Amino acid sequence: MASARDPVVVGVYLTQQARTLPGRTSHELLIEAVKGAIADAGIDRRDIDGVALDWPGPGGAPGDSASWAPYFGAPLKWVDSHFMDTTGVRGVLKAGAAISAGLCDTVVIGSARAGPFNTTGAAVGSGMGLEWIDPYGASTMAYFALVARRHMHQFGTTSQQMAHVAAVIRNHGRTNPEAALYGGEPVTIEDILASPMIADPLHRLDCCLMNEGGAALIMTTAERARDLAVKGVRVAGGAMEFAQGNYINPPLYRDVRTLGQAALARAFGQAGLSVADVDVFCIYDPCSFEVLRQFEMLGLCGEGEGGDFVAGDRLTLKGDCPTNLDGGMLAGSWTGTSQLTGKVIEGVRQIRGGLGARQVTDAEVALVTNAGSGAQHLETLLLTGS
Amino acid sequence: MADAAFDFPVTTLSRPYWEAAARGRLIAPRCNACQRFFFAPEVACTHCFSTDWSWVEAAGQGEVYSYTTIHRAPVPGMATPYVLAAVELPEGFAMFAHLVDCPPEALTCGLPVEVDFRPLHDGRIAPVFKPRQPSV
């Protein structure tokens, strides 16, 4: 079934991730990420013939990926410029499709952010106001809070169960030197519950970070990957699911419930794998609640049972579902878009091996998800070593 | 498209909605082809894709499907805390709205609510919901 044109991830790079990166710009940070991913892959920059990179500017049309052409093998054979396509699972799936179809051979994907976030309430990256959201102060966390609250109402999920997820993932970040919140004292459930409420039932420490940083990755054909020194990580399966456009209407739990399940079935079907084969979970964690919902989505527990399922050490390296061992977005990084790529990068690194203290032994299959119930869409990827 | 009649962003699609709210009425799009309500206003009915629809007044009685008390507003100028709800209306649509005049201990999913109209932080009059008084 494997074809010479199957897409393989061959290069990854994360810049420093920190609350602020004084003196850095989004553009220059992204250049660092791109150069880093090229070096990691061991390719020449002129090998790149497809680009899905943000173009922060200044100069040129904002977001226009074609602006990168002079730096690579101009003229480029393929670009994708949408801010949700230059990152993460969506970026990998679209670039992978372009590679498989023969439109191009080697693609770089990436985005970065440095400098102040705007606080107009607009959707991240949209650069525009949102008529049905802004007047009500419906923050992104409010979206997830509305889903979490209904889940609590229907199934008795508790703030403690959510706080446990947050504590586990934050403690993973505490031991990852690349995480924005590296170091410090162990985080407890009590710490989470004592932190200020943001959008009830989500406390500040139930919510992901907002910080600066960037990420990039390189994909090429299985045939070309074989010639590189680096261990290629295969995109064995992937799929997307969209319930409705985000930032218009409230997410209703009955609509988003196990959102992503249909996409997962397609992805596992492509890969010839089942959830029991997954060694590493890179779960999108905009908030603690969404992690337990995604285990329900994965079918590893029943609907409404996510709170019990994630208890104890299950999500740690000692458990059977090691999750977000890099600290995820709760303690690792959330920059607006590059955390979507960050999820893929952690999966790639776990499959490559050699991560030291957080390495899952003999990891062969990594599951990556982006977005979730509050966002009303979910994208997923299955990465394998061979 | 901004509209000179309002000092907040309004589109040609949404203008009647905010005008009605300013007059104390909750209106929503109802499709003339399939007779179903949908929300927010879109060029085409989200049920049947027909572009033939009209604004129709809703009764303004609903239920809280879910809610969140927001302590950290995403925009400057909003007083906190405020309660943001997903309100379901029997006409067959759900909408964001602020929940007002509701003591925290009374907040619950399924709470019967009725529409009222209050100014938001940007000055516009918007539909909000408050607990429905039990009819005697």
Side-chain angles (χ1 to χ4, degrees), chain A residues 119-122 131-143 145-150 153-154 197-201 204 247-255, chain B residues 9-11 14 17-18 39-42 64-72 74-76 78 82 84 86 88 94-98 108-109 120-122 124 126-127:
Chain A
T119 51
T120 58
E131 186 175 19
W132 302 101
I133 301 307
D134 296 343
Y136 299 114
S139 63
T140 302
M141 278 308 132
Y143 266 72
L146 288 169
V147 181
R149 169 59 66 193
R150 185 71 195 194
H153 174 76
Q154 286 185 218
M197 200 63 94
I198 298 295
D200 164 60
R204 177 179 288 162
Y247 300 116
I248 302 169
N249 280 317
L252 302 184
Y253 177 73
R254 65 156 180 264
D255 294 335
Chain B
V10 168
T11 68
S14 63
Y17 178 85
W18 297 112
F39 199 84
E42 303 281 357
V64 171
Y65 182 81
S66 191
Y67 64 92
T68 174
T69 304
I70 297 184
H71 298 261
R72 176 74 184 265
V75 291
M78 291 192 73
Y82 55 92
L84 177 74
E88 275 199 294
M95 60 187 288
F96 275 122
H98 284 175
T108 181
C109 296
L120 298 183
H121 71 287
D122 60 5
R124 81 178 72 190

Side-chain angles (χ1 to χ4, degrees), chain A residues 103 157 222 292:
Chain A
L103 295 177
T157 305
L292 67 85

Side-chain angles (χ1 to χ4, degrees), chain B residues 43-111:
Chain B
V43 173
C45 167
T46 54
H47 303 293
C48 77
F49 219 176
S50 169
T51 55
D52 177 18
W53 58 265
S54 309
W55 289 102
V56 175
E57 184 163 9
Q61 309 273 307
E63 277 188 10
V64 171
Y65 182 81
S66 191
Y67 64 92
T68 174
T69 304
I70 297 184
H71 298 261
R72 176 74 184 265
V75 291
M78 291 192 73
T80 56
Y82 55 92
V83 182
L84 177 74
V87 175
E88 275 199 294
L89 291 105
E91 283 85 353
F93 65 93
M95 60 187 288
F96 275 122
H98 284 175
L99 198 56
V100 300
D101 300 346
C102 185
E105 63 275 13
L107 276 172
T108 181
C109 296
L111 181 74

Side-chain angles (χ1 to χ4, degrees), chain A residues 23-378:
Chain A
R24 307 296 300 267
T25 68
S26 297
H27 205 121
E28 171 261 331
L29 207 54
L30 183 51
I31 289 170
E32 178 197 327
V34 168
K35 287 182 175 175
I38 289 170
D40 184 55
I43 61 170
D44 186 279
R45 65 188 163 93
R46 286 169 294 269
D47 293 334
I48 290 168
D49 58 3
V51 171
L53 288 173
D54 189 21
W55 179 262
D64 186 0
S65 287
S67 301
W68 290 93
Y71 303 110
F72 306 125
L76 296 171
K77 295 176 180 166
W78 179 84
V79 296
D80 192 339
S81 293
H82 190 273
F83 73 95
M84 287 296 286
D85 290 348
T86 55
T87 182
V89 174
R90 222 185 281 188
V92 167
L93 289 178
K94 294 191 179 188
I99 290 168
S100 294
L103 295 177
C104 56
D105 290 326
T106 303
V107 176
V108 59
I109 296 165
S111 62
R113 182 195 283 271
F117 282 87
N118 80 43
T119 51
T120 58
V124 174
S126 75
M128 57 191 286
L130 296 161
E131 186 175 19
W132 302 101
I133 301 307
D134 296 343
Y136 299 114
S139 63
T140 302
M141 278 308 132
Y143 266 72
F144 284 94
L146 288 169
V147 181
R149 169 59 66 193
R150 185 71 195 194
H151 197 273
M152 295 170 86
H153 174 76
Q154 286 185 218
F155 304 111
T157 305
T158 67
S159 290
Q160 283 76 9
Q161 289 172 323
M162 294 189 260
H164 174 73
V165 172
V168 166
I169 295 175
R170 283 175 176 272
N171 282 325
H172 289 162
R174 211 170 53 79
T175 55
N176 172 15
E178 288 182 284
L181 294 190
Y182 172 60
E185 295 298 307
V187 181
T188 66
I189 290 175
E190 291 69 35
D191 293 333
I192 309 294
L193 296 176
S195 65
M197 200 63 94
I198 298 295
D200 164 60
L202 301 176
H203 304 79
R204 177 179 288 162
L205 298 184
D206 281 307
C207 303
C208 73
L209 308 176
M210 281 179 82
N211 58 271
E212 299 179 357
L217 64 81
I218 309 273
M219 297 170 69
T220 192
T221 64
E223 186 177 25
R224 285 175 182 243
R226 273 193 289 274
D227 296 333
L228 301 175
V230 71
K231 176 181 177 176
V233 172
R234 195 170 150 249
V235 180
M240 319 184 210
E241 189 173 336
F242 304 90
Q244 66 170 315
N246 203 6
Y247 300 116
I248 302 169
N249 280 317
L252 302 184
Y253 177 73
R254 65 156 180 264
D255 294 335
V256 294
R257 289 177 64 195
T258 49
L259 174 88
Q261 212 161 52
L264 283 161
R266 277 177 270 137
F268 279 118
Q270 287 165 15
L273 297 169
S274 79
V275 69
D277 297 313
V278 175
D279 301 309
V280 181
F281 295 81
C282 303
I283 301 289
Y284 207 65
D285 53 346
C287 66
S288 54
F289 165 77
E290 181 56 24
V291 176
L292 67 85
R293 189 204 68 89
Q294 288 195 26
F295 281 102
E296 297 176 13
M297 167 191 82
L298 284 161
L300 285 166
C301 58
E303 184 182 8
E305 296 171 2
D308 285 336
F309 183 81
V310 297
D313 288 335
R314 176 161 258 148
L315 306 191
T316 73
L317 201 50
K318 290 182 278 187
D320 55 357
C321 298
T323 300
N324 301 356
L325 299 171
D326 58 345
M329 290 142 54
L330 286 159
S333 177
W334 183 95
T335 70
T337 58
S338 72
Q339 77 283 351
L340 296 151
T341 304
K343 289 287 168 197
V344 182
I345 289 179
E346 174 66 5
V348 167
R349 287 169 158 183
Q350 287 282 354
I351 299 298
R352 284 182 174 179
L355 277 179
R358 77 168 192 275
Q359 179 64 50
V360 173
T361 308
D362 300 329
E364 290 174 2
V365 178
L367 173 90
V368 181
T369 62
N370 280 176
S373 61
Q376 303 176 101
H377 64 89
L378 188 125

